[in-house]
Amino acid sequence: MSKFDEKVELYTKFMNEKNLSFDADLLTAVTKGLGPSIYKRDAETVSGSDPKELETVKKNFLIKKLGLEDGPSLDEAIAEVVEQIGKSERNKYRAVVYYLLTKKFGKESVYAK
């Protein structure tokens, strides 16, 4: 099994443990879109309490990648996803956070092949 497949398996297991329903193909596509960052411990997770980190998620993912307009709804969506995963959960995997945000905004087409 490749390192990439191991990461997808880890995120799949995580989502199953959290009882989050998901589309495995989309999760794989989102994970692939993150590139080598998934192999770096610090970059692999999102800090739900760090305003600078949350701003990065908003600017680099929601606005640049998904093409959304900046506004309070983006911050609210990020807060909802952090809540959904669990504020006390230490491992808020970036792939899972981005997957949930992609679904929330109905932007699956960004990852369509």
Side-chain angles (χ1 to χ4, degrees), residues 32-74:
K32 193 172 280 183
L34 288 168
S37 69
I38 62 171
Y39 306 111
K40 297 182 183 116
R41 187 148 174 75
D42 188 47
E44 180 185 31
T45 58
V46 172
S47 169
S49 59
D50 180 359
K52 192 174 169 198
E53 171 80 12
L54 299 176
E55 188 65 21
T56 299
V57 170
K58 183 167 85 169
K59 283 186 177 158
N60 292 351
F61 183 68
L62 295 177
I63 296 171
K64 284 184 184 173
K65 178 76 176 178
L66 298 186
L68 299 169
E69 288 289 319
D70 194 0
S73 64
L74 300 186

Side-chain angles (χ1 to χ4, degrees), residues 17-106:
E17 287 171 359
K18 295 286 180 189
N19 291 320
L20 299 168
S21 61
F22 65 97
D23 171 344
D25 292 336
L26 181 60
L27 179 61
T28 301
V30 170
T31 303
K32 193 172 280 183
L34 288 168
S37 69
I38 62 171
Y39 306 111
K40 297 182 183 116
R41 187 148 174 75
D42 188 47
E44 180 185 31
T45 58
V46 172
S47 169
S49 59
D50 180 359
K52 192 174 169 198
E53 171 80 12
L54 299 176
E55 188 65 21
T56 299
V57 170
K58 183 167 85 169
K59 283 186 177 158
N60 292 351
F61 183 68
L62 295 177
I63 296 171
K64 284 184 184 173
K65 178 76 176 178
L66 298 186
L68 299 169
E69 288 289 319
D70 194 0
S73 64
L74 300 186
D75 296 313
E76 290 163 15
I78 294 169
E80 266 180 54
V81 165
V82 167
E83 192 70 43
Q84 196 176 1
I85 293 171
K87 282 188 175 182
S88 62
E89 174 60 58
R90 288 194 52 180
N91 294 320
K92 292 179 195 66
Y93 294 111
R94 190 171 302 276
V96 174
V97 170
Y98 286 13
Y99 170 88
L100 293 170
L101 287 167
T102 301
K103 289 296 277 184
K104 179 160 191 52
F105 287 105

